[in-house]
Amino acid sequence: MNFLEEKILSDGIVKEGNILKVDSFLNHQIDIELMRQIGQEFQRRFEGERITKILTIEASGIAIASVAAMYFNVPVLFAKKTQSVNVDGDKYSAEAFSFTHKCTNKVFVSKKYLSPDDRVLIIDDFLALGSALIALTDIVEQAGATIVGIGIAVEKGFQDGGDIMRKKGYRLESIAIVDQMDAASGTVKFREQ
Amino acid sequence: MNFLEEKILSDGIVKEGNILKVDSFLNHQIDIELMRQIGQEFQRRFEGERITKILTIEASGIAIASVAAMYFNVPVLFAKKTQSVNVDGDKYSAEAFSFTHKCTNKVFVSKKYLSPDDRVLIIDDFLALGSALIALTDIVEQAGATIVGIGIAVEKGFQDGGDIMRKKGYRLESIAIVDQMDAASGTVKFREQ
């Protein structure tokens, strides 16, 4: 079992409705030592890939992406969910359905910050139905940049997002893949990797 | 002139309506080496304060807070702007008007992650009218925790937020304070610190 699987077993909470609560260390309170380990693990898995930029989506992806970026020494770019005076000018946009918030968001990236020369690593904390990743990969492709791979902390393997991304041919690296969860017993079963 | 003031002069853009665009390095694309410098500067300024937790607000505060937390070796907690299945149970909440998005948000923090024993450093990327900070300080006080100080990357010194916070007695450390901006000439004048 790896460090993230151990953390999920010790501090994650399984709730009815296939909800895995990791808000004590991943998406509300953030365990910084765990972020370091996740960053180092992505660096190990994507070593030699000449990544030029890390792309994520607000909000909880920003913590993982920022700490990982310290190991890759590249800028982070985060897609925004709202139009803002902070990001004007030409933008790439794509639609993403949020499983967490039960609504569709349009997400934006300024055209200035992605170019065909970029080799992009997409990072996010969670992968379930994959709609955030579909939006992010769409945006990178609109820019004509290269998607080197996708780094995910926790993938819900019993939902479709991972399969969709792998079938599209992306190199998807999830540090922990949850294949089964049971709220009654609180058990979590991970995929062998 | 310090490293952040130099960065603002070289890469920031002044626009009509007192808008300082720093989306190339601070709140859309994130310059990781700059984040390191900001994190180290907060560590220097708040050394010996026995900080137990860093509190910020989604979204762009998360990058600075996460990198800074690597220097303090404490968890980051970020206030959320939407109700979410990820954060259930009892919450502290407060209202924040967003200057950027021109609307009032209710922001939330789970009660589990702030206790009276906590010594909290509040970190954010921008300070203008101060409404995010008013909400965050309100939440820490609801929890009975101690506010050690507030670390800001860029303060707009010609708006009221900084004065409000200093008059309330908080130790506010802004790495760059912009006292004047002129869109026509593109000039920025910083407060001597």
Side-chain angles (χ1 to χ4, degrees), chain B residues 10-169:
Chain B
S10 67
D11 294 4
I13 298 169
V14 181
K15 303 196 76 160
E16 292 294 344
N18 277 331
I19 293 169
L20 176 62
K21 279 177 61 67
V22 290
D23 65 330
S24 66
F25 58 94
L26 196 63
N27 54 18
H28 182 32
Q29 181 167 255
I30 296 161
D31 180 324
I32 282 298
E33 182 51 34
L34 188 78
M35 292 296 113
R36 273 200 192 95
Q37 289 177 285
I38 291 173
Q40 287 165 345
E41 181 63 19
F42 286 144
Q43 184 192 32
R44 192 184 68 76
R45 296 195 188 193
F46 292 101
E47 199 165 9
E49 287 286 4
R50 294 179 294 112
I51 288 157
T52 62
K53 202 155 282 189
I54 290 176
L55 177 66
T56 188
I57 186 167
E58 64 180 22
S60 46
I62 297 174
I64 292 185
S66 299
V67 175
M70 294 182 75
Y71 295 98
F72 289 94
N73 283 308
V74 298
V76 173
L77 182 61
F78 66 90
K80 292 187 176 252
K81 289 176 181 167
T82 48
Q83 292 272 17
S84 151
V85 292
N86 291 335
V87 183
D88 58 4
D90 278 353
K91 300 176 197 74
Y92 300 112
S93 71
E95 293 208 333
F97 178 79
S98 169
F99 181 69
T100 311
H101 299 118
K102 320 271 184 229
C103 62
T104 297
N105 294 307
K106 212 162 186 173
V107 303
F108 304 90
V109 167
S110 171
K111 289 192 177 180
K112 278 182 291 191
Y113 306 125
L114 277 180
S115 82
D117 295 335
D118 274 317
R119 293 178 56 81
V120 179
L121 174 61
I122 296 173
I123 285 185
D124 208 358
D125 55 340
F126 244 98
L127 168 57
L129 299 175
S131 75
L133 288 187
I134 291 166
L136 293 177
T137 52
D138 184 356
I139 281 172
V140 178
E141 281 162 3
Q142 287 176 47
T146 302
I147 297 169
V148 169
I150 300 166
I152 297 290
V154 185
E155 176 182 339
K156 285 177 164 174
F158 53 86
Q159 291 188 318
D160 293 336
D163 281 352
I164 292 168
M165 288 295 129
R166 289 184 185 95
K167 275 183 192 144
K168 284 188 174 205

Side-chain angles (χ1 to χ4, degrees), chain A residues 3-32:
Chain A
F3 66 94
L4 184 56
E5 293 165 339
E6 282 172 9
K7 186 75 172 178
I8 291 166
L9 285 191
S10 66
D11 294 3
I13 298 170
V14 182
K15 302 197 76 159
E16 291 296 342
N18 277 331
I19 294 169
L20 176 62
K21 280 178 61 67
V22 289
D23 65 331
S24 66
F25 58 94
L26 195 64
N27 54 18
H28 182 33
Q29 181 167 256
I30 297 160
D31 180 324
I32 283 298

Side-chain angles (χ1 to χ4, degrees), chain A residues 19-55:
Chain A
I19 294 169
L20 176 62
K21 280 178 61 67
V22 289
D23 65 331
S24 66
F25 58 94
L26 195 64
N27 54 18
H28 182 33
Q29 181 167 256
I30 297 160
D31 180 324
I32 283 298
E33 181 52 35
L34 188 78
M35 293 297 114
R36 275 200 190 95
Q37 290 179 286
I38 291 173
Q40 287 166 343
E41 180 64 17
F42 286 145
Q43 185 193 30
R44 192 183 68 77
R45 295 195 188 193
F46 292 101
E47 198 164 8
E49 287 285 2
R50 294 180 292 111
I51 287 157
T52 63
K53 202 155 282 191
I54 289 175
L55 177 66

